[in-house]
Amino acid sequence: MKHTIAIIGNPNSGKTTLFNRLTGSNQHVGNWPGVTVDRKAGQICYQQHTVDVVDLPGIYSLSPFTQEEIIAREYVLSDEPTGILNIVDATNLERNLYLSMQLIALGLPMVIALNFIDDCHAQGVEIDHNKLSAVLGVRVIPISARRGENMDELLQTVTTGLQKPVRQPAYLHGVGAAISRIARALSDTPLRSESLPFYALKLLEGDRHVKETVKLPPAAQQVVDSTASALSCHGAEDNEMVLADALYDFIEEAVRQAVKRPEKPIPTITERLDRVILDRWLALPIFACLLALMFWSTFGPIGSYFADLFEALLQTVAPALQNALVAAGASDWAVGLVCDGVLGGVGGVISFLPQIVILFFFLSLLEDTGYLARIAFVMDTLLRRIGLSGKSFVPMLMGFGCTTPAVMAARTMENEKDRRMTIMLTPFMSCGAKLPVYALFAGALFPQNPSLIVISLYVLGILVGIFAGWVLKKTVFQDVSSGFVLELPPYRLPTVHGTLLNMWEKAKDFLTKAGTVIFFMSILIWLLQNFTPALQTADNSAESILGVFGRFIAPLFAPLGFGEWRASVSILTGVIAKEAVVSTMSVLYSVDLGSLGQLLPTVFSPLSAYTFLVFILLYMPCMSAFATIKREMGGWKWALGAAAFQTALAWLVACLIYQVGCLIF
Ligand code: GDP
Ligand code: MG
């Protein structure tokens, strides 16, 4: 029989680290709750045994409040998993065991991996896992997923010896009896018999989802109702509290027996660091300094050193290729297509690879150390004053990397209105794909202080996001935001492996996009600008298909300062992928690689270049993000509405900046 094990645990408990260790795969690990929102499948091969494993999103309980909980819960209730690997954060034992207790009620074969055992030792906490195992009735194996401690024992158990819990937990306050009573009443329903205590628990809790899916026969329903009202003297609404108390009291007792804490707790490094980093006065300046350092490295001397090196390399390739093509007797247009179209477009984008990689090096460090989560926390206090939830900031900060996963990360939000609003705001955060455009323009028009320009764009994105959120909150999404429950992860040293993996993934994405989307776009743009609408070769690209079309839409952008047809066309291609703005410009201005930078100042003034960047920053996101938004919002109406909202706002802000700028300068 084929075995499938579900890895289940609280957010940030090390599930993905463990999954990667067990299966040898390289899923993204982040010191940050909410990184895995979809389930990921893999395989464990250990001493001739193979089992399938599934990494699920992190959850705190099996109640269906958030999307992740629904995904995880539907999965464990389906027939697919034959066992559960419950990973528990040993430094947060009580809260983590709350989920474990519900899993035990499922009655599936199960093992508890007691993770972060290294951190426990560092804090002087001793956990007697044998005692814990005896109290819970489930095997408990202490591990450190990060250091790979005790992996053999875990692998052995998972592949050969998963066992059902030996008994149901002894809930206190008469809850145990109530659960057995309902479970007995459920015994002639088609529900999986070992999971009856779980269903009983949920029915007693008044869980609507379970009630709807289970469809009890009237007799059983009566038992549920009478037991529920007998349990609580204040009416059925309170049962959730009664059950939570019963669970927690049991857990507390278990922890009291199994855990020895030091007399005087050693203050953790995290506590000591947070005293400074989250200080009321220091928090924002520290954030600003880190941002400045990040962009200074990306666009300042370090970034430009690597960018120049890379460009020099590409510049030796281009003439060599051209000579080779001419020598091989290729026709003029073929040489033009390859050198101006493909090399110009794709090469123009690829030359920004070093800067992308540097930026992602920093973003990855910020994320892995646990700092990014703290920015969300700091911003929360600010945002709450204007009625927004700081929780929106988590997906929004992920948007600095790429909008697509960030939009998906909004699933962590319980409040549906907040979730939709966050999805609409996330694209305002400057994603990595916009970086080549900034780098090109900032380098060409603001050579003295390119990083300052880029920082201003990032900050502008955040400010517009906050402003738009405030407006939406007052109009479309009137509602009270739910409180902020993002828990701050401890600071951790990033692993070299994790950081390199992150950078490599980003570089790979970027190169893949350059080799596919940008490649075909460049060819298409080259063709469209070399033929007239009557399909004759165009002598002057303004007469070409693109030229005619571009001049038609260009007046739209005239009030923003860049009513030039080539700029308008690149804005359109930017909808496919933001990097395409750069490749389209290289092809359209058909200049040698690298000299686009010298040409731009003759077309743009510093002011119009800046408003162009502002428009690129704020207008609708790329196709892939748009498709994700459509899926997550559940419909074209929402997706198109969001895109129109973003584009209109982009136009307004850019126009405002240009018009005010014209008055001043
Ligand atoms: P997930 O959200 O449950 O998938 O958790 P991740 O696997 O993404 O890990 C969260 C963070 O905890 C990462 O920074 C990991 O490097 C770190 N981590 C995971 N397991 C351990 C461990 O056993 N010890 C320590 N010290 N850190 C760990
Ligand atoms: Mg994960």
Side-chain angles (χ1 to χ4, degrees):
M1 180 181 148
K2 188 109 181 115
H3 283 292
T4 305
I5 311 282
I7 302 187
I8 228 177
N10 282 188
N12 220 24
S13 58
K15 292 177 301 300
T16 306
T17 311
L18 181 65
F19 177 86
N20 287 348
R21 265 220 186 265
L22 295 178
T23 62
S25 61
N26 281 321
Q27 293 294 343
H28 181 86
V29 171
N31 185 14
W32 171 271
V35 170
T36 313
V37 281
D38 268 327
R39 44 184 241 221
K40 304 255 159 49
Q43 222 172 34
I44 305 181
C45 302
Y46 183 74
Q47 300 180 342
Q48 294 116 38
H49 299 282
T50 6
V51 294
D52 290 332
V53 273
V54 174
D55 182 21
L56 292 167
I59 52 173
Y60 294 109
S61 101
L62 285 176
S63 330
F65 291 134
T66 62
Q67 285 277 342
E68 294 118 305
E69 284 170 352
I70 294 172
I71 293 179
R73 165 163 141 165
E74 276 177 0
Y75 184 72
V76 286
L77 287 181
S78 73
D79 288 331
E80 211 177 308
T82 50
I84 291 177
L85 168 52
N86 174 211
I87 178 164
V88 160
D89 174 355
T91 61
N92 253 318
L93 205 51
E94 280 88 347
R95 196 200 61 205
N96 277 255
L97 287 178
Y98 185 68
L99 176 67
S100 308
M101 297 282 283
Q102 304 184 28
L103 293 172
I104 291 172
L106 281 171
L108 287 176
M110 158 169 175
V111 61
I112 291 181
L114 198 59
N115 196 25
F116 291 97
I117 212 68
D118 51 330
D119 278 4
C120 274
H121 291 322
Q123 291 167 21
V125 177
E126 295 298 329
I127 302 181
D128 182 345
H129 63 272
N130 289 323
K131 188 158 272 166
L132 197 59
S133 170
V135 179
L136 296 176
V138 176
R139 175 130 192 224
V140 178
I141 303 177
I143 62 161
S144 166
R146 175 152 161 170
R147 301 194 184 177
E149 278 168 35
N150 244 353
M151 281 301 128
D152 273 318
E153 192 183 342
L154 185 64
L155 279 164
Q156 180 93 42
T157 312
V158 167
T159 47
T160 58
L162 277 195
Q163 263 145 26
K164 292 190 178 171
V166 292
R167 63 178 170 298
Q168 281 300 312
Y171 302 105
L172 307 177
H173 315 319
V175 170
I179 288 181
S180 333
R181 186 153 169 246
I182 298 183
R184 267 198 307 279
L186 294 178
S187 60
D188 30 299
T189 57
L191 296 170
R192 196 162 59 195
S193 64
E194 65 267 32
S195 300
L196 290 181
F198 172 79
Y199 288 105
L201 185 69
K202 290 292 147 189
L203 286 170
L204 206 50
E205 226 173 56
D207 183 310
R208 250 190 313 119
H209 251 249
V210 168
K211 231 190 234 164
E212 279 160 18
T213 42
V214 169
K215 298 212 186 56
L216 287 182
Q221 184 62 52
Q222 212 171 10
V223 177
V224 172
D225 291 341
S226 65
T227 315
S229 55
L231 190 65
S232 132
C233 34
H234 312 289
E237 292 84 42
D238 269 351
N239 271 346
E240 227 178 308
M241 296 298 291
V242 175
L243 288 175
D245 277 351
L247 282 178
Y248 270 118
D249 289 348
F250 176 81
I251 291 169
E252 253 166 47
E253 179 55 27
V255 169
R256 204 185 53 75
Q257 287 183 27
V259 179
K260 256 216 326 276
R261 298 209 159 93
E263 292 280 306
K264 237 172 81 194
I266 311 166
T268 59
I269 299 173
T270 298
E271 282 162 359
R272 278 179 278 171
L273 277 177
D274 270 345
R275 261 176 237 157
V276 181
I277 291 177
L278 292 184
D279 181 84
R280 207 140 67 94
W281 302 106
L282 293 179
L284 283 177
I286 290 177
F287 180 33
C289 287
L290 283 174
L291 270 190
L293 176 71
M294 176 161 106
F295 291 115
W296 178 79
S297 314
T298 312
F299 298 97
I302 306 175
S304 36
Y305 173 76
F306 283 107
D308 290 347
L309 213 73
F310 209 72
E311 211 171 285
L313 187 79
L314 286 173
Q315 251 157 6
T316 53
V317 175
L321 190 70
Q322 182 159 12
N323 290 341
L325 282 174
V326 173
S331 62
D332 275 357
W333 78 265
V335 175
L337 177 68
V338 173
C339 293
D340 299 338
V342 175
L343 260 191
V346 176
V349 167
I350 288 188
S351 59
F352 294 102
L353 179 66
Q355 280 158 323
I356 296 268
V357 171
I358 296 176
L359 181 77
F360 275 90
F361 169 72
F362 279 97
L363 279 179
S364 165
L365 287 191
L366 288 188
E367 178 180 334
D368 288 351
T369 50
Y371 183 72
L372 220 46
R374 280 165 174 83
I375 299 178
F377 182 77
V378 170
M379 294 309 282
D380 183 53
T381 26
L382 289 178
L383 292 185
R384 209 146 342 151
R385 293 206 189 126
I386 54 171
L388 297 178
S389 157
K391 209 172 181 197
S392 326
F393 231 71
V394 179
M396 282 162 79
L397 287 170
M398 285 178 81
F400 283 153
C402 176
T403 309
T404 304
V407 164
M408 281 165 51
R411 288 182 191 171
T412 48
M413 310 190 57
E414 294 89 10
N415 184 314
E416 180 62 15
K417 283 187 179 173
D418 278 356
R419 186 179 76 88
R420 286 178 182 275
M421 191 179 80
T422 306
I423 291 178
M424 291 185 73
L425 302 184
T426 303
F428 291 134
M429 302 303 112
S430 193
C431 76
K434 295 172 190 163
L435 201 71
V437 194
Y438 302 162
L440 174 69
F441 276 79
L445 283 127
F446 308 95
Q448 277 83 37
N449 39 19
S451 36
L452 210 63
I453 293 295
V454 180
I455 293 180
S456 77
L457 288 166
Y458 273 75
V459 172
L460 183 73
I462 299 177
L463 292 180
V464 169
I466 293 175
F467 170 74
W470 180 75
V471 172
L472 289 176
K473 197 86 205 174
K474 289 265 174 282
T475 52
V476 191
F477 299 114
Q478 288 172 348
D479 201 356
V480 227
S481 289
S482 52
F484 195 32
V485 292
L486 175 84
E487 152 201 19
L488 291 183
Y491 289 105
R492 296 186 200 290
L493 277 181
T495 56
V496 177
H497 174 84
T499 311
L500 288 180
L501 184 75
N502 239 330
M503 286 161 69
W504 160 241
E505 273 181 355
K506 230 36 234 185
K508 200 174 65 184
D509 276 0
F510 184 73
L511 289 176
T512 317
K513 235 201 263 176
T516 52
V517 182
I518 306 291
F519 176 81
F520 289 112
M521 288 279 295
S522 302
I523 293 180
L524 185 71
I525 296 289
W526 189 85
L527 288 174
L528 289 179
Q529 76 142 359
N530 274 289
F531 291 96
T532 62
L535 297 183
Q536 307 286 309
T537 32
D539 305 327
N540 175 349
S541 57
E543 312 291 313
S544 68
I545 304 178
L546 267 194
V548 171
F549 180 65
R551 277 184 301 164
F552 177 69
I553 56 169
L556 266 179
F557 298 108
L560 317 188
F562 45 89
E564 212 268 344
W565 70 267
R566 295 179 181 91
S568 321
V569 171
S570 11
I571 285 176
L572 281 190
T573 55
V575 173
I576 310 283
K578 294 288 140 128
E579 299 94 332
V581 173
V582 170
S583 63
T584 307
M585 286 204 160
S586 324
V587 177
L588 287 183
Y589 288 107
S590 63
V591 285
D592 292 349
L593 216 62
S595 38
L596 184 59
Q598 277 130 46
L599 196 98
L600 283 180
T602 63
V603 185
F604 288 87
S605 70
L607 180 61
S608 68
Y610 191 73
T611 52
F612 183 75
L613 291 182
V614 168
F615 191 83
I616 296 291
L617 163 74
L618 300 175
Y619 82 130
M620 72 168 285
C622 69
M623 275 346 270
S624 104
F626 179 79
T628 313
I629 292 178
K630 191 204 143 234
R631 199 182 62 220
E632 298 291 311
M633 295 274 241
W636 285 106
K637 205 181 80 192
W638 277 99
L640 290 172
F645 172 71
Q646 287 143 359
T647 309
L649 198 63
W651 194 93
L652 281 177
V653 175
C655 182
L656 191 74
I657 293 180
Y658 185 71
Q659 299 300 338
V660 172
C662 281
L663 287 182
I664 296 174
F665 301 117

mmCIF file of all heavy atoms in Angstrom, residues 10-17 28-32 36 115-119 143-146 368 492, ligand 1:
data_model
loop_
_atom_site.group_PDB
_atom_site.id
_atom_site.type_symbol
_atom_site.label_atom_id
_atom_site.label_comp_id
_atom_site.label_asym_id
_atom_site.label_seq_id
_atom_site.Cartn_x
_atom_site.Cartn_y
_atom_site.Cartn_z
ATOM 1 N N ASN A 10 2.256 24.585 12.970
ATOM 2 C CA ASN A 10 2.011 26.021 13.019
ATOM 3 C C ASN A 10 2.854 26.735 11.969
ATOM 4 O O ASN A 10 3.852 26.202 11.516
ATOM 5 C CB ASN A 10 2.392 26.575 14.390
ATOM 6 C CG ASN A 10 1.341 26.274 15.451
ATOM 7 O OD1 ASN A 10 1.421 26.768 16.553
ATOM 8 N ND2 ASN A 10 0.353 25.463 15.125
ATOM 9 N N PRO A 11 2.447 27.960 11.605
ATOM 10 C CA PRO A 11 3.301 28.739 10.711
ATOM 11 C C PRO A 11 4.689 28.913 11.334
ATOM 12 O O PRO A 11 4.801 29.032 12.554
ATOM 13 C CB PRO A 11 2.593 30.082 10.628
ATOM 14 C CG PRO A 11 1.177 29.797 10.956
ATOM 15 C CD PRO A 11 1.204 28.657 11.925
ATOM 16 N N ASN A 12 5.684 28.899 10.502
ATOM 17 C CA ASN A 12 7.059 29.165 10.935
ATOM 18 C C ASN A 12 7.594 28.131 11.931
ATOM 19 O O ASN A 12 8.485 28.426 12.704
ATOM 20 C CB ASN A 12 7.148 30.568 11.558
ATOM 21 C CG ASN A 12 8.420 31.268 11.135
ATOM 22 O OD1 ASN A 12 8.992 30.948 10.103
ATOM 23 N ND2 ASN A 12 8.870 32.198 11.939
ATOM 24 N N SER A 13 7.042 26.912 11.895
ATOM 25 C CA SER A 13 7.543 25.907 12.820
ATOM 26 C C SER A 13 8.632 25.052 12.186
ATOM 27 O O SER A 13 9.122 24.123 12.815
ATOM 28 C CB SER A 13 6.394 25.018 13.298
ATOM 29 O OG SER A 13 5.774 24.403 12.189
ATOM 30 N N GLY A 14 8.989 25.368 10.950
ATOM 31 C CA GLY A 14 10.076 24.637 10.295
ATOM 32 C C GLY A 14 9.604 23.532 9.370
ATOM 33 O O GLY A 14 10.381 22.664 8.995
ATOM 34 N N LYS A 15 8.336 23.594 8.950
ATOM 35 C CA LYS A 15 7.805 22.539 8.080
ATOM 36 C C LYS A 15 8.579 22.423 6.780
ATOM 37 O O LYS A 15 8.950 21.332 6.364
ATOM 38 C CB LYS A 15 6.334 22.818 7.728
ATOM 39 C CG LYS A 15 5.378 22.702 8.880
ATOM 40 C CD LYS A 15 3.973 23.066 8.457
ATOM 41 C CE LYS A 15 3.884 24.481 7.924
ATOM 42 N NZ LYS A 15 4.290 25.519 8.877
ATOM 43 N N THR A 16 8.811 23.585 6.158
ATOM 44 C CA THR A 16 9.464 23.525 4.854
ATOM 45 C C THR A 16 10.920 23.094 4.996
ATOM 46 O O THR A 16 11.423 22.320 4.185
ATOM 47 C CB THR A 16 9.349 24.885 4.142
ATOM 48 O OG1 THR A 16 7.971 25.241 4.094
ATOM 49 C CG2 THR A 16 9.889 24.815 2.751
ATOM 50 N N THR A 17 11.581 23.575 6.043
ATOM 51 C CA THR A 17 12.960 23.135 6.287
ATOM 52 C C THR A 17 12.990 21.616 6.428
ATOM 53 O O THR A 17 13.834 20.941 5.831
ATOM 54 C CB THR A 17 13.497 23.773 7.580
ATOM 55 O OG1 THR A 17 13.245 25.170 7.545
ATOM 56 C CG2 THR A 17 14.985 23.537 7.730
ATOM 57 N N HIS A 28 11.139 27.045 -0.925
ATOM 58 C CA HIS A 28 11.505 28.306 -0.298
ATOM 59 C C HIS A 28 11.221 28.292 1.212
ATOM 60 O O HIS A 28 10.106 28.038 1.632
ATOM 61 C CB HIS A 28 10.727 29.434 -0.943
ATOM 62 C CG HIS A 28 11.070 30.766 -0.380
ATOM 63 N ND1 HIS A 28 12.128 31.493 -0.846
ATOM 64 C CD2 HIS A 28 10.536 31.474 0.624
ATOM 65 C CE1 HIS A 28 12.211 32.607 -0.153
ATOM 66 N NE2 HIS A 28 11.254 32.628 0.747
ATOM 67 N N VAL A 29 12.259 28.565 1.997
ATOM 68 C CA VAL A 29 12.114 28.639 3.442
ATOM 69 C C VAL A 29 12.160 30.103 3.830
ATOM 70 O O VAL A 29 13.005 30.839 3.371
ATOM 71 C CB VAL A 29 13.279 27.900 4.129
ATOM 72 C CG1 VAL A 29 13.269 28.151 5.618
ATOM 73 C CG2 VAL A 29 13.205 26.425 3.842
ATOM 74 N N GLY A 30 11.230 30.565 4.637
ATOM 75 C CA GLY A 30 11.292 31.962 5.038
ATOM 76 C C GLY A 30 11.019 32.102 6.523
ATOM 77 O O GLY A 30 10.167 31.402 7.057
ATOM 78 N N ASN A 31 11.747 32.979 7.167
ATOM 79 C CA ASN A 31 11.540 33.190 8.598
ATOM 80 C C ASN A 31 10.384 34.161 8.743
ATOM 81 O O ASN A 31 10.585 35.334 9.035
ATOM 82 C CB ASN A 31 12.817 33.745 9.216
ATOM 83 C CG ASN A 31 12.702 33.861 10.720
ATOM 84 O OD1 ASN A 31 11.791 33.298 11.317
ATOM 85 N ND2 ASN A 31 13.591 34.601 11.325
ATOM 86 N N TRP A 32 9.159 33.694 8.623
ATOM 87 C CA TRP A 32 8.074 34.570 8.283
ATOM 88 C C TRP A 32 6.848 33.710 8.144
ATOM 89 O O TRP A 32 6.834 32.800 7.319
ATOM 90 C CB TRP A 32 8.538 35.152 6.947
ATOM 91 C CG TRP A 32 7.649 35.944 6.137
ATOM 92 C CD1 TRP A 32 6.799 35.489 5.182
ATOM 93 C CD2 TRP A 32 7.566 37.340 6.134
ATOM 94 N NE1 TRP A 32 6.200 36.536 4.596
ATOM 95 C CE2 TRP A 32 6.645 37.677 5.156
ATOM 96 C CE3 TRP A 32 8.166 38.350 6.883
ATOM 97 C CZ2 TRP A 32 6.309 38.987 4.896
ATOM 98 C CZ3 TRP A 32 7.834 39.636 6.610
ATOM 99 C CH2 TRP A 32 6.920 39.948 5.635
ATOM 100 N N THR A 36 4.440 29.375 2.825
ATOM 101 C CA THR A 36 3.850 28.286 2.040
ATOM 102 C C THR A 36 2.343 28.437 2.069
ATOM 103 O O THR A 36 1.716 28.199 3.086
ATOM 104 C CB THR A 36 4.206 26.918 2.673
ATOM 105 O OG1 THR A 36 5.582 26.909 2.972
ATOM 106 C CG2 THR A 36 3.869 25.782 1.748
ATOM 107 N N ASN A 115 10.529 20.126 17.006
ATOM 108 C CA ASN A 115 11.582 20.869 16.302
ATOM 109 C C ASN A 115 12.158 21.989 17.179
ATOM 110 O O ASN A 115 11.630 22.285 18.242
ATOM 111 C CB ASN A 115 10.985 21.451 15.016
ATOM 112 C CG ASN A 115 12.051 21.895 14.044
ATOM 113 O OD1 ASN A 115 13.172 21.403 14.074
ATOM 114 N ND2 ASN A 115 11.702 22.829 13.188
ATOM 115 N N PHE A 116 13.227 22.608 16.695
ATOM 116 C CA PHE A 116 13.888 23.719 17.398
ATOM 117 C C PHE A 116 14.488 23.251 18.718
ATOM 118 O O PHE A 116 14.605 24.031 19.652
ATOM 119 C CB PHE A 116 12.928 24.868 17.695
ATOM 120 C CG PHE A 116 12.490 25.605 16.461
ATOM 121 C CD1 PHE A 116 11.293 25.304 15.855
ATOM 122 C CD2 PHE A 116 13.291 26.583 15.905
ATOM 123 C CE1 PHE A 116 10.884 25.972 14.719
ATOM 124 C CE2 PHE A 116 12.874 27.260 14.766
ATOM 125 C CZ PHE A 116 11.677 26.957 14.170
ATOM 126 N N ILE A 117 14.854 21.980 18.769
ATOM 127 C CA ILE A 117 15.385 21.484 20.014
ATOM 128 C C ILE A 117 16.714 22.185 20.315
ATOM 129 O O ILE A 117 17.086 22.387 21.467
ATOM 130 C CB ILE A 117 15.503 19.938 19.965
ATOM 131 C CG1 ILE A 117 15.286 19.367 21.340
ATOM 132 C CG2 ILE A 117 16.789 19.474 19.360
ATOM 133 C CD1 ILE A 117 13.884 19.518 21.851
ATOM 134 N N ASP A 118 17.409 22.630 19.259
ATOM 135 C CA ASP A 118 18.667 23.371 19.450
ATOM 136 C C ASP A 118 18.418 24.692 20.184
ATOM 137 O O ASP A 118 19.147 25.062 21.100
ATOM 138 C CB ASP A 118 19.372 23.602 18.113
ATOM 139 C CG ASP A 118 18.453 24.211 17.059
ATOM 140 O OD1 ASP A 118 17.230 23.951 17.113
ATOM 141 O OD2 ASP A 118 18.946 24.942 16.185
ATOM 142 N N ASP A 119 17.350 25.381 19.783
ATOM 143 C CA ASP A 119 17.027 26.649 20.448
ATOM 144 C C ASP A 119 16.640 26.421 21.904
ATOM 145 O O ASP A 119 16.980 27.212 22.787
ATOM 146 C CB ASP A 119 15.871 27.352 19.733
ATOM 147 C CG ASP A 119 16.349 28.126 18.516
ATOM 148 O OD1 ASP A 119 17.562 28.025 18.213
ATOM 149 O OD2 ASP A 119 15.532 28.815 17.880
ATOM 150 N N ILE A 143 13.902 16.946 17.336
ATOM 151 C CA ILE A 143 14.771 17.128 16.166
ATOM 152 C C ILE A 143 15.200 18.585 16.038
ATOM 153 O O ILE A 143 14.646 19.475 16.691
ATOM 154 C CB ILE A 143 14.047 16.777 14.836
ATOM 155 C CG1 ILE A 143 12.851 17.703 14.605
ATOM 156 C CG2 ILE A 143 13.637 15.328 14.805
ATOM 157 C CD1 ILE A 143 12.386 17.746 13.174
ATOM 158 N N SER A 144 16.202 18.809 15.209
ATOM 159 C CA SER A 144 16.446 20.150 14.715
ATOM 160 C C SER A 144 16.473 20.049 13.204
ATOM 161 O O SER A 144 17.391 19.472 12.623
ATOM 162 C CB SER A 144 17.771 20.694 15.238
ATOM 163 O OG SER A 144 18.113 21.831 14.479
ATOM 164 N N ALA A 145 15.425 20.569 12.577
ATOM 165 C CA ALA A 145 15.317 20.439 11.122
ATOM 166 C C ALA A 145 16.449 21.202 10.457
ATOM 167 O O ALA A 145 16.996 20.786 9.451
ATOM 168 C CB ALA A 145 13.974 20.975 10.648
ATOM 169 N N ARG A 146 16.807 22.315 11.071
ATOM 170 C CA ARG A 146 17.825 23.146 10.437
ATOM 171 C C ARG A 146 19.190 22.488 10.490
ATOM 172 O O ARG A 146 19.943 22.511 9.534
ATOM 173 C CB ARG A 146 17.853 24.488 11.137
ATOM 174 C CG ARG A 146 18.946 25.383 10.644
ATOM 175 C CD ARG A 146 18.512 26.807 10.828
ATOM 176 N NE ARG A 146 19.634 27.696 10.790
ATOM 177 C CZ ARG A 146 19.488 29.010 10.731
ATOM 178 N NH1 ARG A 146 18.280 29.528 10.725
ATOM 179 N NH2 ARG A 146 20.527 29.781 10.705
ATOM 180 N N ASP A 368 15.026 36.410 5.889
ATOM 181 C CA ASP A 368 15.471 35.255 6.674
ATOM 182 C C ASP A 368 15.860 35.616 8.098
ATOM 183 O O ASP A 368 15.713 34.810 9.007
ATOM 184 C CB ASP A 368 16.658 34.567 5.994
ATOM 185 C CG ASP A 368 16.214 33.824 4.756
ATOM 186 O OD1 ASP A 368 14.990 33.718 4.566
ATOM 187 O OD2 ASP A 368 17.072 33.370 3.993
ATOM 188 N N ARG A 492 17.052 35.080 13.333
ATOM 189 C CA ARG A 492 17.878 33.916 13.047
ATOM 190 C C ARG A 492 18.958 34.306 12.069
ATOM 191 O O ARG A 492 18.750 35.170 11.231
ATOM 192 C CB ARG A 492 17.065 32.821 12.378
ATOM 193 C CG ARG A 492 15.986 32.274 13.219
ATOM 194 C CD ARG A 492 15.352 31.104 12.522
ATOM 195 N NE ARG A 492 14.039 30.856 13.063
ATOM 196 C CZ ARG A 492 13.824 30.389 14.276
ATOM 197 N NH1 ARG A 492 14.828 30.106 15.057
ATOM 198 N NH2 ARG A 492 12.606 30.214 14.719
HETATM 199 P P1 GDP B 1 7.491 26.895 7.905
HETATM 200 O O1 GDP B 1 6.839 28.229 7.837
HETATM 201 O O2 GDP B 1 6.879 26.046 8.953
HETATM 202 O O3 GDP B 1 7.570 26.207 6.582
HETATM 203 O O4 GDP B 1 8.974 27.167 8.444
HETATM 204 P P2 GDP B 1 10.333 27.253 7.643
HETATM 205 O O5 GDP B 1 10.808 25.887 7.271
HETATM 206 O O6 GDP B 1 10.184 28.240 6.539
HETATM 207 O O7 GDP B 1 11.331 27.759 8.798
HETATM 208 C C1 GDP B 1 11.141 28.940 9.513
HETATM 209 C C2 GDP B 1 12.451 29.438 10.066
HETATM 210 O O8 GDP B 1 12.902 28.592 11.112
HETATM 211 C C3 GDP B 1 13.597 29.479 9.054
HETATM 212 O O9 GDP B 1 14.332 30.660 9.286
HETATM 213 C C4 GDP B 1 14.405 28.237 9.376
HETATM 214 O O10 GDP B 1 15.755 28.396 9.019
HETATM 215 C C5 GDP B 1 14.237 28.142 10.879
HETATM 216 N N1 GDP B 1 14.334 26.780 11.406
HETATM 217 C C6 GDP B 1 13.643 25.690 10.983
HETATM 218 N N2 GDP B 1 13.944 24.613 11.743
HETATM 219 C C7 GDP B 1 14.837 25.028 12.684
HETATM 220 C C8 GDP B 1 15.531 24.368 13.782
HETATM 221 O O11 GDP B 1 15.384 23.188 14.026
HETATM 222 N N3 GDP B 1 16.356 25.147 14.526
HETATM 223 C C9 GDP B 1 16.542 26.477 14.272
HETATM 224 N N4 GDP B 1 17.363 27.173 15.056
HETATM 225 N N5 GDP B 1 15.921 27.112 13.264
HETATM 226 C C10 GDP B 1 15.084 26.404 12.476
#
